[in-house]
Amino acid sequence: MRPDRPRSPVAGPSTGPTAPFPIQLSGPIVKGFGRGSKELGIPTANIPLAGLSVGGHDEVESGVYYGWAGIDVDQQGKRLDSPAGHGGGRGTLLAMVMSIGFNPYYNNTVRSVEVHVLHTFAQDFYGARMNLLILGFIRPEYDYVSKESLIVDIRVDIEVARRSLEREAYQKFKLDEYLLRFDGEEHENAVAS
């Protein structure tokens, strides 16, 4: 259960990420449970959990994290590698907040990776690649007594991620070339930097 105390407006030290962060994770965007947009009004881009088992991060704690996402789509969600895309683009770089876990409110039996990027896209982009640079931990996974209380906490998580990433020590990670490199197999096995 969620503790009854005020939440900090930021997460992580002001001097920047500390071990084990940053963590790199990459994968294709796959269909999730379909609850983010429809039930919660907070769309997510889901990627396979398998990437966390590479580089010794399979034991990462279930919970909510923040960082940067690079996606091989344009600002509307059009795939850059498709005939309909404009090709040769570098992708879109965005702030993100993500959940790794079982989502106890929904009684999931398998862990999932659900990423909410802080941007509104005009269309879905299943199959596009997403590279994540996870920079910090916001909170552990909680169970909720209602969907409304879950939504309230997710909205707080989004604001904590936004404020945390606005700090100079976290802004510099937007320059990491890994985020917008969509050139092949090395992303299948991303490891911690």
Side-chain angles (χ1 to χ4, degrees), residues 93-156:
L93 177 66
L94 300 162
M96 65 85 181
V97 61
M98 65 185 289
S99 168
I100 299 173
F102 293 96
N103 301 311
Y105 177 75
Y106 289 103
N107 298 311
N108 291 357
T109 57
V110 296
R111 284 195 349 154
S112 62
V113 177
E114 300 177 51
V115 180
H116 174 72
V117 292
L118 281 58
H119 178 78
T120 302
F121 288 97
Q123 63 189 44
D124 290 335
F125 41 88
Y126 295 115
R129 278 213 79 79
M130 181 162 53
N131 298 331
L132 301 174
L133 197 57
I134 306 167
L135 299 179
F137 183 77
I138 295 177
R139 65 172 175 85
E141 185 173 50
Y142 299 131
D143 197 356
Y144 291 88
V145 296
S146 69
K147 182 169 45 175
E148 292 73 25
S149 62
L150 169 62
I151 292 169
V152 166
D153 247 13
I154 292 171
R155 297 222 179 272
V156 171

Side-chain angles (χ1 to χ4, degrees), residues 165-176:
L165 291 168
E166 287 173 347
R167 298 175 292 176
E168 186 177 337
Y170 294 84
Q171 284 284 312
K172 69 180 183 180
F173 284 92
K174 288 194 305 188
L175 303 176
D176 192 316

